[in-house]
Amino acid sequence: MQDMDMTKKNKIYIKNALLPGQTVGDVLITENKITHVGTVPESECQGAEVLDGTDKAVIPGFANTHTHAAMTYFRGYGDDLDLMDWLNNMVWPVEAHLTPEDVYWGSKMACVEMIKSGTTAFLDMYTFPEGTAQAVEESGMRAVLSYTMFDQGNEERAKLDRENLDKYLNDFRGFSDRVQFSVGPHAIYTVSGKQLKYAHEFAKEHDLLVHLHLSETYVEWKEACRKYGTTPVRYLNNLGILSPRLVLAHSLWMDSEELQMLADNGCSTVHNPASNMKLASGYRFRFDEMRKKGIKLGIGTDGCSSSNTLDMTTAMRLASFLAKAWSGDPKAAPARDVFESATKTGYEILRVNGGEISVGSVADLCLVDLTVPEMTPVHNLISNMVYSACGSFIDTTIVNGKILMRNRVVEGEEEVREQFLKHCHDLFERSKKTTNKK
Ligand SMILES: [Zn+2]
């Protein structure tokens, strides 16, 4: 009858695990928060579900701060092409056939992949965010989902995007706190200055993030100079839309003065090393300089179409190796800083008190298997996580105090995969038919 007691709190007691500070200890989760770290008083553990942490480490879950979850459909489709060729001729023609249901199943698949590789929260940008929202809600994950504004100078579409912001803002009120809405103007070459200002004002009025691709390629940078007479960050500064709400994916082609503008205005940047390297967008992401200036800097995978996985351990490793390679400095982007970007800073960008194993943080965390050869020995857990780990070493994933994966099993994974493959097949068949008709 004890289980019927409605006053009984949901508790998880992780015993005897390696913690990020390189000590062995316990963690207690009460409801959706971490309530003890280190030693847990016996009286507090009563009625808790016990997870044995022997040969395991507890780490905060990763925040993937720039992705397009439903692009799981495009994994391995149109690799090795120029960015604009790839978008114009491969991705966008198929995306035109997407339905909200496709986005739902594509996102469900992405959530399974993320949970299985230790990601507990993400910042997304895509069409039909209601599909992604439903998927996130059901998966138990945490996400901020941006509606993609994409008018390309077409006033009809611009108007529709403005109307959709109202619609989605309202619709998202039906979801739990784990699912938040945000504004996602795609880029400065696909959204007009007027619309960017609208996005900024809308976000300010409703206290939302603005999620934008910026300074991703040299072509974008050169076009901005030609069209707007200045560089991308200065252009946003002239529009008066640099603010602490602004999250800038890629942020590659920027000079020191532009970085200072971002720092002065409290903007965040996101490093997407896999995508930047694969699409040859650039590689001089100024990781250490940004952090030194106090810019909030997150790590993201970008969509599966360009990265080609959602594995944050790969993103961390590439972020660090790339910084060392181009700067000629092995001290560049050290493991501890990269790990912090992928966890604590990521959560700060999402405006959630989490991303660390500390009392009061939301209980978004993972247990990592330390018995695999690549994690042996553990001189330094953070070093192992950044330089040797694979997403598949994650054994248990907990979000908001709920276990979403244990012993690598995510409930319902098989059905998700089956439905995803069916929808993937239908989507590409539909798009083939229209392409052939033309
Ligand atoms: Zn992107």
Side-chain angles (χ1 to χ4, degrees), residues 291-426:
R291 276 182 61 97
K292 220 172 272 165
K293 286 191 189 299
I295 295 172
K296 283 205 284 288
L297 193 186
I299 307 267
T301 59
D302 213 347
C304 273
S305 47
S306 61
S307 78
N308 287 2
T309 74
L310 303 173
D311 185 350
M312 286 289 285
T313 61
T314 305
M316 289 194 297
R317 180 136 69 250
L318 291 178
S320 179
F321 286 180
L322 182 59
K324 296 176 197 313
W326 76 258
S327 67
D329 179 4
K331 297 188 291 307
R336 59 165 193 279
D337 291 354
V338 172
F339 188 80
E340 188 178 83
S341 270
T343 53
K344 190 170 183 278
T345 314
Y347 269 77
E348 269 173 41
I349 292 172
L350 299 180
R351 306 194 293 185
V352 177
N353 178 20
E356 58 181 350
I357 305 301
S358 65
V359 173
S361 286
V362 288
D364 293 10
L365 50 89
C366 303
L367 289 178
V368 189
D369 183 1
L370 298 179
T371 63
V372 292
E374 294 90 332
M375 296 296 278
T376 311
V378 195
H379 289 301
N380 180 327
L381 174 63
I382 302 306
S383 161
N384 280 15
M385 284 314 303
V386 175
Y387 296 138
S388 20
C390 248
S392 61
F393 300 171
I394 305 291
D395 173 86
T396 301
T397 301
I398 300 173
V399 178
N400 216 33
K402 290 234 159 56
I403 300 176
L404 307 187
M405 173 174 80
R406 59 173 93 216
N407 305 325
R408 294 216 46 77
V409 176
V410 178
E411 229 175 272
E413 177 179 350
E414 266 168 50
E415 196 220 339
V416 171
R417 189 169 171 274
E418 212 173 278
Q419 285 290 337
F420 167 78
L421 286 173
K422 181 185 165 299
H423 283 80
C424 183
H425 174 263
D426 293 352

Side-chain angles (χ1 to χ4, degrees), residues 66-68 71 125 186 211 213 216 249-250 272 275 302-303 306:
H66 176 68
T67 188
H68 314 278
M71 288 191 95
M125 183 199 287
H186 174 262
H211 183 190
H213 292 102
E216 180 174 1
H250 301 287
N272 301 102
S275 174
D302 213 347
S306 61

Side-chain angles (χ1 to χ4, degrees), residues 203-222:
K204 199 162 117 186
E205 187 185 340
H206 300 287
D207 191 22
L208 306 171
L209 294 179
V210 181
H211 183 190
L212 173 76
H213 292 102
L214 195 83
S215 290
E216 180 174 1
T217 63
Y218 177 63
V219 174
E220 178 191 341
W221 181 90
K222 213 169 62 180

Side-chain angles (χ1 to χ4, degrees), residues 227-238:
K227 221 166 130 189
Y228 311 123
T230 189
T231 60
V233 174
R234 290 182 180 87
Y235 169 61
L236 298 185
N237 192 38
N238 293 346

Side-chain angles (χ1 to χ4, degrees), residues 57-319:
V58 173
I59 59 158
F62 302 120
N64 184 348
T65 38
H66 176 68
T67 188
H68 314 278
M71 288 191 95
T72 38
Y73 288 118
F74 297 94
R75 196 196 315 269
Y77 177 71
D79 298 313
D80 313 323
L81 294 172
D82 284 331
L83 175 70
M84 290 324 289
D85 183 17
W86 169 72
L87 286 175
N88 282 319
N89 302 315
M90 301 296 285
V91 177
W92 289 343
V94 181
E95 277 187 335
H97 294 270
L98 280 171
T99 65
E101 198 183 316
D102 291 329
V103 170
Y104 167 75
W105 284 110
S107 303
K108 290 275 275 189
M109 193 70 244
C111 287
V112 170
E113 184 180 345
M114 287 192 266
I115 290 166
K116 293 192 85 167
S117 52
T119 293
T120 47
F122 64 100
L123 177 58
D124 201 74
M125 183 199 287
Y126 215 50
T127 186
F128 302 127
E130 69 271 39
T132 311
Q134 188 62 36
V136 173
E137 181 79 343
E138 291 169 8
S139 74
M141 287 189 75
R142 190 185 300 284
V144 180
L145 309 172
S146 323
Y147 168 70
T148 313
M149 301 169 77
F150 191 90
D151 61 78
Q152 294 186 294
N154 178 328
E155 190 39 48
E156 278 297 296
R157 171 66 199 254
K159 188 166 162 271
L160 178 72
D161 281 348
R162 291 194 294 272
E163 287 165 5
N164 273 338
L165 288 182
D166 288 318
K167 174 187 152 4
Y168 286 123
L169 179 71
N170 193 43
D171 289 356
F172 268 60
R173 295 202 173 104
F175 293 104
S176 68
D177 284 353
R178 287 185 289 102
V179 184
Q180 297 288 328
F181 182 59
S182 64
V183 182
H186 174 262
I188 57 171
Y189 56 93
T190 45
V191 179
S192 69
K194 196 175 132 209
Q195 191 83 337
L196 285 169
K197 275 186 169 176
Y198 183 89
H200 169 77
E201 288 302 327
F202 186 89
K204 199 162 117 186
E205 187 185 340
H206 300 287
D207 191 22
L208 306 171
L209 294 179
V210 181
H211 183 190
L212 173 76
H213 292 102
L214 195 83
S215 290
E216 180 174 1
T217 63
Y218 177 63
V219 174
E220 178 191 341
W221 181 90
K222 213 169 62 180
E223 266 303 285
C225 294
R226 188 186 65 80
K227 221 166 130 189
Y228 311 123
T230 189
T231 60
V233 174
R234 290 182 180 87
Y235 169 61
L236 298 185
N237 192 38
N238 293 346
L239 288 173
I241 63 171
L242 294 180
S243 86
R245 313 182 173 284
L246 192 58
V247 184
L248 301 170
H250 301 287
S251 300
L252 271 174
W253 296 85
M254 294 177 179
D255 58 48
S256 293
E257 206 180 283
E258 286 180 294
L259 295 192
Q260 196 55 52
M261 283 178 190
L262 297 183
D264 292 345
N265 288 283
C267 306
S268 305
T269 58
V270 182
H271 188 16
N272 301 102
S275 174
N276 295 343
M277 289 165 82
K278 186 170 175 237
L279 292 165
S281 304
Y283 53 92
R284 290 173 183 268
F285 184 89
R286 299 149 86 119
F287 188 95
D288 295 308
E289 192 180 342
M290 286 190 199
R291 276 182 61 97
K292 220 172 272 165
K293 286 191 189 299
I295 295 172
K296 283 205 284 288
L297 193 186
I299 307 267
T301 59
D302 213 347
C304 273
S305 47
S306 61
S307 78
N308 287 2
T309 74
L310 303 173
D311 185 350
M312 286 289 285
T313 61
T314 305
M316 289 194 297
R317 180 136 69 250
L318 291 178

